[in-house]
Amino acid sequence: MNVTEAVATRRSIRQFLPTAVPQDALQRVLQKAQRSPSGGNTQPWNAVILTGQPLADLTAKIKAKAATAPMGEGHEYDIYPKSLEGRYEDQRRGVGKAMFDALGLAREDGAGRVAQMMKNWDSFDAPVQLFTYTRKYMGPPQWSDMGMWLQTVMLLLREEGLDSCAQEIWAMYGTYMRELLNIDDDHIFFCGMAIGYRDADAPINNFTVPRVEIGQAIRWEGF
């Protein structure tokens, strides 16, 4: 698989097969991903990877927390800007509508939509979770570096025939996630990433996710 194929076939998978993920495949991915760029070679990313009983235990605890604090508790950053507007907000709402439409969940079906959101805590049945964090003093450039590392991991997972779903939703319980993962107070929790093999027949993995034309995001000069 070349880079173009990996980019074209990567998508946020929200229904995984129960197939186990070989540790050696993850080891290859993460070893290669260490070549990701970072300003000053700071390499600010850190991660904890869970599977099996440790993941099951964490899942049970975070679901119990979500039941008592459904709007989140102890989040340490805003997942979306409070002032999100224009095409950015339109795109966010649009992909949500497309996802629920693919599942046949009408806007009025609040219970069905909540049930779908709750599947985040089960990692969409993925057998592996990668949780990312960094030092609290890191700034926007280092958070960008973390994003480049995560993107590199996601593309290398495709090379291995694996899939993923980056999940910032775990940050709704950021301080509790640090407690569960034994991450000290000098760090800030960023996100999770479900990893596994996609259920290719699941409607939620097949709806169209549009991208804006590059003319809306890119300006050319001197060409």
Side-chain angles (χ1 to χ4, degrees), residues 38 88 135 154 190 199 221:
S38 61
Y88 309 109
R135 293 295 293 266
M154 288 188 278
F190 179 23
D199 181 345
E221 294 185 8

Side-chain angles (χ1 to χ4, degrees), residues 49 56 89 103 109 130 149 154 168 182 203 210:
I49 303 173
E89 176 66 1
L103 294 169
D109 188 359
L130 182 152
W149 176 73
M154 288 188 278
E168 290 173 317
N182 196 28

Side-chain angles (χ1 to χ4, degrees), residues 2-92:
N2 61 36
V3 177
T4 298
E5 291 169 332
V7 171
T9 59
R10 188 217 64 81
R11 64 176 292 146
S12 295
I13 296 302
R14 293 183 174 87
Q15 185 60 55
F16 289 85
L17 298 172
T19 310
V21 175
Q23 184 179 11
D24 60 347
L26 296 175
Q27 186 74 28
R28 284 192 297 272
V29 164
L30 295 170
Q31 191 66 49
K32 294 174 186 176
Q34 285 301 106
R35 299 299 305 170
S36 300
S38 61
N41 198 32
T42 53
Q43 303 172 55
W45 50 82
N46 300 273
V48 179
I49 303 173
L50 302 184
T51 192
Q53 195 59 48
L55 179 56
D57 291 344
L58 182 142
T59 295
K61 290 174 181 176
I62 206 70
K63 288 170 76 173
K65 174 66 74 174
T68 61
M71 301 307 293
E73 181 181 276
H75 52 278
E76 300 177 288
Y77 71 91
D78 292 326
I79 294 176
Y80 298 107
K82 292 182 174 63
S83 58
L84 193 66
E85 44 73 43
R87 74 172 177 88
Y88 309 109
E89 176 66 1
D90 291 344
Q91 288 154 198
R92 187 184 74 85

Side-chain angles (χ1 to χ4, degrees), residues 98-163:
M99 181 184 73
F100 288 127
D101 286 350
L103 294 169
L105 294 174
R107 185 178 181 82
E108 308 78 51
D109 188 359
R113 292 184 172 214
V114 169
Q116 175 58 40
M117 190 197 77
M118 292 297 289
K119 292 182 179 181
N120 275 279
W121 311 129
D122 288 308
S123 304
F124 304 115
D125 294 331
V128 173
Q129 260 288 351
L130 182 152
F131 294 110
T132 306
Y133 61 99
T134 192
R135 293 295 293 266
K136 280 185 175 177
Y137 60 65
M138 295 296 182
Q142 289 75 47
W143 281 67
S144 173
D145 294 341
M146 276 199 296
M148 288 191 285
W149 176 73
L150 288 166
Q151 170 78 337
T152 302
V153 170
M154 288 188 278
L155 296 181
L156 288 168
L157 287 169
R158 289 300 304 126
E159 184 181 70
E160 291 280 349
L162 288 157
D163 294 287

